[in-house]
Amino acid sequence: MKKLLHLKKEQQELMPLFNGAFIENKPIPFPNRNGSSAYSNLFYWAHLEALETSEFPLHPHEGFEIMTFVFKGSIEHYDTATKVWTPLGLGGVQVIQAGSGVQHAEKITKGTQLFQIWFDPDFSKSMIKDACYRDYQVNEFTSEKENAVERLIYLKDRGVISYDTPNISIEKLKFVSGKYQETLEENYTYSYYLLGGEVTVDNELMTKDDFLVLNSSKEVSITAKSTSELFVIKSLTNIEYPRFIDKY
């Protein structure tokens, strides 16, 4: 295993929003004058917890493919493409293909926890497309058991989500207490976020909200010390198209 990054929650960028209504911890924050921690085709990754109900006002996006995963609670979103407020509940996923440009707003209810992850789908292609929204409700996803691991596949060749960013897959793994082996593919980077529980990935101990990035390994050994949920993104290590982040 080649470990690229291991961040505890307190090592991630922590940001309160709207007078503390929301709190975000960001494994991959936005670029700043000190540079960027973006890699592969991942540009931004935030975990948000809503301590109060509040709203992100109307704001623009373009080019990126933005995915929101709701783990607790619910959200509503409005955009200038559909011009309606659309609810998304527990377990749902929203995909924004921002294309040539769109504006949207989000209402997030108290108690909600979610990811928002921005992918770079190749701006030379995405910027000439119209913006597109799609919501996927929890009943559109199914879990399967494989080697005693419960796998919820969000995005893969056989997944239900339609997406533009090439060479990515996204799944949530649920482990009961025990030891497991996971096979990794060469030339791919694996990004792990522990949603709950406690695991070791080879010799790396992960507790809730830890973020681990690794590659250059054919398999990893995972030991779950308790029932644990691990969110995993597999993405190509070397991106052939010019990335937006390379402009910084």
Side-chain angles (χ1 to χ4, degrees), residues 56-101:
F56 282 97
L58 202 65
H59 58 280
H61 291 295
E62 62 179 20
F64 288 103
E65 185 162 44
I66 301 170
M67 301 187 189
T68 300
F69 299 81
V70 181
F71 300 117
K72 292 182 180 179
S74 62
I75 66 172
E76 291 183 75
H77 68 87
Y78 173 90
D79 63 89
T80 52
T82 64
K83 295 183 172 59
V84 294
W85 283 97
T86 303
L88 186 66
L90 171 67
V93 179
Q94 173 198 103
V95 179
I96 304 171
Q97 289 153 352
S100 57

Side-chain angles (χ1 to χ4, degrees), residues 68 79 102 107 120 205:
T68 300
D79 63 89
V102 68
K107 294 177 183 176
D120 183 337
L205 175 64

